[in-house]
Amino acid sequence: ETGVTQSPTHLIKTRGQQVTLRCSSQSGHNTVSWYQQALGQGPQFIFQYYREEENGRGNFPPRFSGLQFPNYSSELNVNALELDDSALYLCASSRGGGETQYFGPGTRLLVL
Amino acid sequence: AQSVTQPDIHITVSEGASLELRCNYSYGATPYLFWYVQSPGQGLQLLLKYFSGDTLVQGIKGFEAEFKRSQSSFNLRKPSVHWSDAAEYFCAVGDYQAGTALIFGKGTTLSVSS
């Protein structure tokens, strides 16, 4: 078990709504990365935060946004939800930008 | 562009038999390589990693992997599979040109037969 926690565990939204997912990083870690895992696929990198600043972004539209707080916890916000946003959203924390990433259990989002 | 290929979508192995899961990567520099395991509905657990040094890497649960630069491969092995090893296995390369993203393969599902 890692010390990375995510909430909520499951979520159901309708198309067009907005959602906020939360992640608490492992003690001593200052970097949080977010991934989207569609059914039957490998995780896809959304973005990374290092000491409250965005430190890299994958090929996701601007309606995917994030925050990192002074305690290094993080939020992922998705606006104008689409059906294809249905996925498992994984958060990973690490000691720094180039260090090993440890994953939380994920939040499963269903968009109807 | 950086990429990871896991050629086998699904593998079935008898309990007690040996296992090898294949992983090929495409990366311009010296790669950071990882294997993660995912049980149904769960997050990813790190099995092992390669950053540099000895090309044979030992991990948890009796797994090992060998980095072969000439073949751009990082295959995962286990000498004797247990029923509890049934899961989804993901190979990943660290892309340190885009923050520090992990680029994952599509995964290999391992089934263990008795």
Side-chain angles (χ1 to χ4, degrees):
Chain A
E1 295 285 333
T2 71
V4 182
T5 61
Q6 293 185 243
S7 62
T9 55
H10 295 83
L11 204 51
I12 300 175
K13 292 286 189 178
T14 56
R15 195 170 48 183
Q17 285 189 312
Q18 178 266 342
V19 69
T20 297
L21 310 182
R22 295 177 174 83
C23 172
S24 292
S25 59
Q26 188 167 313
S27 177
H29 289 187
N30 57 19
T31 303
V32 172
S33 305
W34 287 91
Y35 293 82
Q36 180 195 67
Q37 186 180 16
L39 202 60
Q41 301 295 314
Q44 299 284 319
F45 176 69
I46 303 174
F47 44 59
Q48 181 182 85
Y49 280 83
Y50 171 67
R51 293 187 174 181
E52 303 179 60
E53 297 287 332
E54 188 176 290
N55 188 43
R57 188 177 183 94
N59 189 27
F60 280 81
R63 59 189 186 83
F64 285 78
S65 62
L67 282 174
Q68 187 178 33
F69 300 99
N71 66 354
Y72 302 128
S73 66
S74 177
E75 285 182 357
L76 164 65
N77 299 289
V78 186
N79 294 321
L81 283 167
E82 300 177 0
L83 298 180
D84 284 348
D85 295 333
S86 295
L88 180 67
Y89 288 84
L90 295 163
C91 161
S93 74
S94 55
R95 290 189 182 278
E99 300 295 324
T100 302
Q101 297 182 22
Y102 295 90
F103 285 80
T107 293
R108 187 162 297 281
L109 172 65
L110 178 61
V111 182
L112 302 176
Chain B
Q2 294 79 9
S3 66
V4 174
T5 301
Q6 294 181 245
D8 304 305
I9 297 173
H10 190 187
I11 285 182
T12 299
V13 175
S14 299
E15 190 170 16
S18 64
L19 169 70
E20 183 169 29
L21 301 182
R22 296 184 290 164
C23 172
N24 294 99
Y25 67 89
S26 172
Y27 191 71
T30 300
Y32 291 179
L33 295 162
F34 305 83
W35 275 99
Y36 286 86
V37 62
Q38 185 177 38
S39 297
Q42 301 298 312
L44 301 174
Q45 181 182 22
L46 179 68
L47 285 176
L48 47 78
K49 60 187 177 184
Y50 171 79
F51 279 13
S52 65
D54 193 346
T55 57
L56 186 62
V57 180
Q58 302 297 320
I60 63 170
K61 302 184 179 186
F63 285 93
E64 67 178 26
E66 186 170 13
F67 170 59
K68 293 186 177 180
R69 185 186 298 276
S70 62
Q71 298 177 21
S72 298
S73 69
F74 189 56
N75 294 348
L76 181 71
R77 300 193 294 245
K78 186 170 185 178
S80 178
V81 167
H82 188 262
W83 64 266
S84 60
D85 293 324
E88 186 90 16
Y89 290 80
F90 292 96
C91 180
V93 63
D95 181 359
Y96 297 111
Q97 300 175 36
T100 49
L102 290 177
I103 309 298
F104 284 86
K106 292 188 176 181
T108 297
T109 300
L110 173 65
S111 297
V112 179
S113 61
S114 56

